C-alpha cells in the first residue's frame, strides 16, 4: 500500500483544514487507518484512527471535539477534518495503514501500522 497525504498548509488559529490521504491498491478497505503527527522536537503522537469499515473512530484527547476522521473506501481515501485549530496543532501530519485488531490501544499505537505516507505540514499561526 502506498499512501499520499495532502491538504496541509498555513492557517490562523481558529481556522480549519482538511487533510486527505489517498491509498493505492485494491485492498484499502482491509486496512485500519490512522493519522499521527510530529511537532518539532517532539515524538510522533497519535491523532485519530478509524476501523476498516469506518464504523468506529478514536481520537487523542487533545483533538476530541475538534477533529473528525472519516474514510471513503470507494475512493481509497481517508480524511482528517480539523476545526478550531490551535498553534499547538502545528506539526507534520502522517497517515498510516495497518491490519490490526480494532481496539483503541492498537489503533492508536504507531507500532500497529505497516505503511506510512510522506507527511504533510500543518502550521497554525496565533
Amino acid at each position: 500500500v502506498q499512501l499520499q497525504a495532502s491538504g496541509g498548509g498555513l492557517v490562523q488559529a481558529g481556522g480549519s483544514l482538511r487533510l486527505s490521504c489517498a491509498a493505492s491498491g485494491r485492498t484499502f478497505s482491509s486496512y485500519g487507518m490512522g493519522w499521527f503527527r510530529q511537532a518539532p522536537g517532539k515524538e510522533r503522537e497519535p491523532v485519530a484512527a478509524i476501523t476498516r469499515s469506518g464504523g468506529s473512530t478514536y481520537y487523542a484527547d487533545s483533538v476530541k471535539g475538534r477533529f473528525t476522521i472519516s474514510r471513503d473506501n470507494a475512493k481509497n481515501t481517508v480524511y482528517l477534518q480539523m476545526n478550531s485549530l490551535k498553534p499547538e496543532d502545528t506539526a507534520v501530519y502522517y497517515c498510516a495503514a495497518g491490519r490490526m485488531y480494532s481496539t483503541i490501544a492498537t489503533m492508536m499505537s504507531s507500532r500497529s501500522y505497516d505503511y506510512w505516507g510522506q507527511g504533510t505540514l500543518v502550521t497554525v499561526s496565533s
Side-chain angles (χ1 to χ4, degrees):
V1 176
Q2 291 185 321
L3 304 173
Q4 180 72 40
S6 62
L10 174 64
V11 64
Q12 288 188 331
S16 298
L17 281 175
R18 188 175 83 153
L19 306 184
S20 299
C21 176
S24 64
R26 294 176 288 181
T27 59
F28 177 73
S29 61
S30 68
Y31 289 91
M33 299 297 296
W35 285 98
F36 293 77
R37 67 186 182 186
Q38 187 167 18
K42 296 187 177 181
E43 293 187 354
R44 188 174 298 187
E45 63 177 4
V47 175
I50 188 167
T51 54
R52 291 170 291 178
S53 66
S56 294
T57 56
Y58 307 100
Y59 297 93
D61 288 343
S62 58
V63 307
K64 275 181 185 176
R66 300 188 298 121
F67 290 11
T68 302
I69 188 171
S70 62
R71 66 188 296 162
D72 186 337
N73 285 345
K75 295 183 178 180
N76 283 12
T77 302
V78 63
Y79 305 97
L80 185 68
Q81 177 66 45
M82 304 186 296
N83 298 329
S84 302
L85 282 161
K86 303 176 181 180
E88 51 263 44
D89 295 318
T90 295
V92 177
Y93 284 71
Y94 299 89
C95 58
R99 287 177 168 149
M100 73 289 282
Y101 291 110
S102 299
T103 67
I104 186 170
T106 56
M107 295 208 72
M108 295 294 274
S109 171
S110 61
R111 290 176 291 182
S112 299
Y113 293 86
D114 301 307
Y115 304 97
W116 293 80
Q118 85 288 2
T120 185
L121 176 63
V122 172
T123 303
V124 184
S125 63
S126 57

